[in-house]
């Protein structure tokens, strides 16, 4: 009887740890929730995931008293005439991803992506041309873009590349083994109306 009691006492912490891990694992319903947990979660996050900042090639330290932080993706992921960074908020999954594609010295295509945790949608919030310190949107944007040999098809391809390859794809390669582009859990990806026309 004492041997059985000793075995039960010895197994109890292992079982509790296993159930705790399983509870967290099952509560993360999509890749964006995993990404946020890998930075904002408790101690268990180190057991489950590599920190998100490491997966994007950034070893910056997020200090405990900072409410938000901006981290650029490494040049090994996004380089050349492209830049991508993420603004992360503590205790929130409403992170913002900023992308810039330089067409010329003072001209660039800009995009922002955001996750809406209530609707479970990772969406392209903005897409515009930044030229001469002004934002150019809509049909004027497409006309100006054409002068650089780019069109709506290029814009759509570039938007998908940013969302699916750079942002989510980097996480699937370096962080999550559970989700993929074919399995986004309960999340959807939505692109800006300008490129979906």
């Amino acid at each position: 009887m004492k041997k059985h009691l000793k075995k039960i006492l010895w197994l109890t912490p292992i079982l509790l740890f296993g159930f705790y891990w399983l509870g967290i694992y099952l509560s993360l319903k999509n890749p964006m929730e995993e990404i946020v947990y890998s930075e904002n979660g408790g101690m268990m996050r180190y057991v489950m995931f590599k920190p998100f900042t490491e997966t994007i090639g950034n070893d910056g330290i997020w200090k405990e008293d900072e409410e938000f932080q901006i981290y650029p993706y490494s040049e090994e992921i996004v380089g050349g005439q492209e830049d991508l960074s993420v603004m992360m908020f503590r205790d929130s999954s409403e992170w913002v991803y900023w992308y810039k594609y330089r067409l010329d010295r003072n001209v660039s295509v800009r995009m922002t992506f955001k996750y809406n945790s209530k609707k479970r949608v990772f969406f392209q919030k903005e897409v515009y041309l930044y030229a001469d310190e002004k934002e150019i949107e809509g049909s004027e944007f497409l006309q100006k873009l054409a002068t650089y040999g780019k069109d709506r098809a290029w814009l759509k391809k570039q938007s998908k590349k940013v969302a699916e390859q750079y942002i989510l794809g980097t996480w699937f390669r370096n962080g999550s083994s559970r989700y993929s582009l074919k399995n986004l859990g309960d999340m959807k990806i939505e692109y800006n109306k300008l490129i979906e026309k």
Side-chain angles (χ1 to χ4, degrees), residues 101-108 148:
Y101 185 99
R102 284 179 295 283
L103 295 167
D104 205 343
R105 205 172 119 212
N106 296 319
V107 181
S108 59
Y148 293 92

Side-chain angles (χ1 to χ4, degrees), residues 8-20:
I8 290 169
L9 288 174
W10 185 79
L11 285 173
T12 300
I14 295 168
L15 289 171
L16 288 174
F17 177 82
F19 286 129
Y20 181 64

